[in-house]
């Protein structure tokens, strides 16, 4: 029997039923919150938490771990989530696969995967295919010199020449194209380049600083000058643990991953927060619209509108000086230049 269809037998099925330690948790429950919810395939943790809570990122705080279910983020389709109260304080319990009984329980591991914080397809493009590197490194990286036979149009199955130092003991490399450069104008002390994965090559032979390789995968035409990076593309984390960002950490959206000026739900954004700020994947921020002036339609005078919370975003990948985030919720138009602050 394959591990994907292995059967995990629980000797006793135990419901999660531990009171939250969150002070004032009752105020976090929505007035129209249901008493139970059946998890469906395609649900996300953010959406389910939003069914019950005014602040979805506080989802883990209304659970406590026990030996039966070790992680409140490990929720599966067909699970039933219950909103219960003890001494006036809310807490969540769950029964697996729709069973509300305290009885032996069998689950086919691999039938379903745990639901994710947000749709995986929304993250894949700019988590798996985008990186940010110190711009000073670009000129030192190996690059595509030409196609074999001096072809200008290079795609999957074609052979290419690479110039630069490659490790002959390492066979597979990624091809990246240089994208947008972020620097002083974005509040950074050094220039950082976004690089976008467009293909994969296998090394065939090497002589001096010239190597021959075959393109095994491509997302588009490969060009002369595209850079070569050792290793595999960045992978999505299996789970993102929702949590409020550290207090005192603030930043701004400096660009949309797709270069759009109007950013909506599940769009990717580039943030001016790096590893030294202490942010991690899963941290949630509020998005603030910058103060702006609007014209009063009656008096004609200009009126200053202060900061407004227009949405939330979650960190999905952190680099030395920048990070990628994804918009979880947008109540208005999110734009480059909008500020981000820890959710409350």
């Amino acid at each position: 029997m394959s591990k994907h269809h292995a059967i995990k037998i629980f000797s006793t099925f135990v419901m999660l039923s531990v009171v939250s330690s969150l002070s004032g948790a009752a105020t976090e429950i929505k007035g129209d919150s249901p008493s139970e919810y059946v998890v469906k395939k395609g649900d996300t943790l953010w959406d389910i938490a939003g069914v019950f809570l005014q602040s979805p990122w506080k989802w883990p705080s209304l659970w406590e771990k026990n030996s039966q279910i070790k992680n409140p983020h490990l929720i599966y389709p067909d699970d039933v989530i219950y909103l219960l109260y003890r001494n006036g304080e809310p807490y969540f319990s769950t029964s697996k696969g729709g069973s509300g009984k305290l009885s032996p329980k069998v689950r086919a591991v691999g039938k379903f995967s745990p639901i994710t914080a947000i749709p995986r397809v929304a993250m894949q493009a700019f988590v798996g295919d985008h990186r940010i590197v110190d711009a000073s490194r670009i000129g030192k990286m190996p690059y595509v010199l030409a196609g074999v036979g001096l072809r200008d149009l290079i795609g999957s199955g074609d052979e290419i020449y690479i110039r630069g130092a490659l490790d002959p003991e390492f066979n597979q490399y990624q091809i990246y194209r240089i994208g947008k450069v972020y620097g002083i104008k974005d509040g950074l002390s050094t220039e950082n380049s976004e690089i976008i994965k467009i293909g994969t090559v296998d090394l065939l032979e090497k002589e001096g600083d010239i190597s021959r390789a075959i393109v095994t995968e491509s997302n588009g035409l490969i060009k002369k000058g595209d850079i070569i990076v050792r290793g595999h593309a960045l992978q999505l984390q299996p789970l993102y643990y929702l949590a409020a960002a550290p207090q005192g950490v603030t930043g701004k959206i400096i660009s949309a991953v797709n270069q759009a000026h109007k950013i909506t739900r599940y769009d990717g954004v580039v943030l001016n927060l790096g590893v030294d700020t202490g942010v991690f994947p899963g941290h949630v921020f509020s998005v603030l619209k910058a103060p702006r002036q609007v014209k009063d339609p009656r008096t004609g005078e200009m009126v200053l509108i202060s900061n407004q919370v227009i949405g939330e975003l979650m960190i999905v990948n952190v680099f030395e000086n920048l990070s990628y985030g994804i918009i979880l919720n947008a109540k208005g138009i999110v734009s480059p230049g909008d500020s981000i602050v820890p959710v409350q």
Side-chain angles (χ1 to χ4, degrees):
M1 182 180 295
S2 72
K3 65 180 181 179
H4 297 293
H5 298 285
I7 302 298
K8 185 174 182 180
I9 302 177
F10 295 104
S11 59
T12 304
F13 176 69
V14 182
M15 295 176 68
L16 276 177
S17 56
V18 185
V19 177
S20 165
S21 61
L22 179 66
S23 175
T27 62
E28 297 296 333
I29 303 299
K30 284 185 171 180
D32 59 352
S33 176
S35 60
E36 63 181 65
Y37 180 84
V38 180
V39 180
K40 301 182 294 294
K41 188 176 181 180
D43 279 346
T44 67
L45 282 176
W46 182 263
D47 290 335
I48 294 174
V51 170
F52 295 98
L53 302 176
Q54 297 180 42
S55 304
W57 56 90
K58 293 184 178 179
W59 168 261
S61 64
L62 272 79
W63 301 80
E64 281 190 8
K65 301 175 184 178
N66 67 13
S67 60
Q68 187 69 34
I69 299 176
K70 297 181 179 180
N71 193 318
H73 295 81
L74 289 177
I75 306 297
Y76 294 79
D78 290 343
D79 287 356
V80 182
I81 299 169
Y82 301 94
L83 173 62
L84 305 173
Y85 288 84
R86 179 180 295 161
N87 298 325
E89 290 294 324
Y91 65 96
F92 290 134
S93 291
T94 185
S95 62
K96 295 299 172 185
S99 171
K101 299 179 180 179
L102 295 176
S103 59
K105 182 67 181 174
V106 176
R107 161 173 275 161
V109 177
K111 179 182 178 182
F112 291 122
S113 297
I115 63 172
T116 56
I118 53 179
R120 293 179 68 86
V121 68
M123 295 184 289
Q124 182 63 58
F126 67 92
V127 176
D129 296 343
H130 288 63
R131 296 189 187 192
I132 295 174
V133 299
D134 188 327
S136 65
R137 292 176 50 199
I138 298 293
K140 303 173 185 177
M141 291 181 173
Y143 56 93
V144 176
L145 180 64
V148 171
L150 303 181
R151 297 183 59 176
D152 290 326
L153 302 179
I154 305 168
S156 184
D158 292 334
E159 293 186 8
I160 61 172
Y161 292 114
I162 297 171
R163 188 169 193 184
L166 297 180
D167 184 350
E169 299 299 320
F170 196 82
N171 182 59
Q172 190 176 80
Y173 290 81
Q174 307 295 321
I175 307 173
Y176 281 81
R177 181 155 299 151
I178 302 170
K180 191 170 181 179
V181 177
Y182 303 98
I184 295 175
K185 69 181 187 304
D186 303 301
L188 305 174
S189 58
T190 59
E191 288 195 337
N192 296 261
S193 292
E194 186 173 57
I195 58 174
I196 304 162
K197 179 176 175 282
I198 57 170
T200 303
V201 296
D202 284 348
L203 189 62
L204 298 176
E205 62 179 0
K206 184 177 186 301
E207 183 175 347
D209 69 343
I210 306 295
S211 302
R212 185 169 62 90
I214 185 168
V215 179
T216 56
E217 173 193 346
S218 66
N219 303 326
L221 292 177
I222 295 164
K223 300 179 181 179
K224 297 177 183 179
D226 286 339
I227 59 175
I228 306 297
V229 178
R230 173 177 167 170
H232 301 286
L234 297 176
Q235 299 298 312
L236 289 173
Q237 292 188 187
L239 289 172
Y240 284 81
Y241 298 87
L242 297 173
Q247 292 301 307
V249 177
T250 62
K252 70 174 182 176
I253 296 172
I254 60 177
S255 178
V257 170
N258 60 7
Q259 306 303 316
H261 291 287
K262 293 183 179 180
I263 303 165
T264 60
R265 192 183 193 202
Y266 296 148
D267 279 344
V269 291
V270 181
L271 310 166
N272 67 339
L273 298 176
V275 292
D276 60 339
T277 63
V279 297
F280 289 95
H283 279 159
V284 181
F285 286 84
S286 292
V287 181
L288 300 181
K289 179 59 67 177
R292 65 194 189 281
Q293 288 190 327
V294 297
K295 187 175 182 179
D296 188 308
R298 288 190 176 182
T299 67
E301 65 180 325
M302 300 304 294
V303 180
L304 181 66
I305 303 296
S306 60
N307 283 334
Q308 292 178 302
V309 175
I310 57 169
E312 292 83 33
L313 65 78
M314 183 185 78
I315 302 292
V316 294
N317 218 335
V318 184
F319 299 89
E320 184 176 358
N321 298 308
L322 297 168
S323 56
Y324 286 128
I326 190 166
I327 302 297
L328 297 173
N329 180 44
K331 304 169 187 174
I333 297 175
V334 178
S335 308
D338 288 345
S339 300
I340 60 172
V341 298
V343 291
Q344 300 297 319

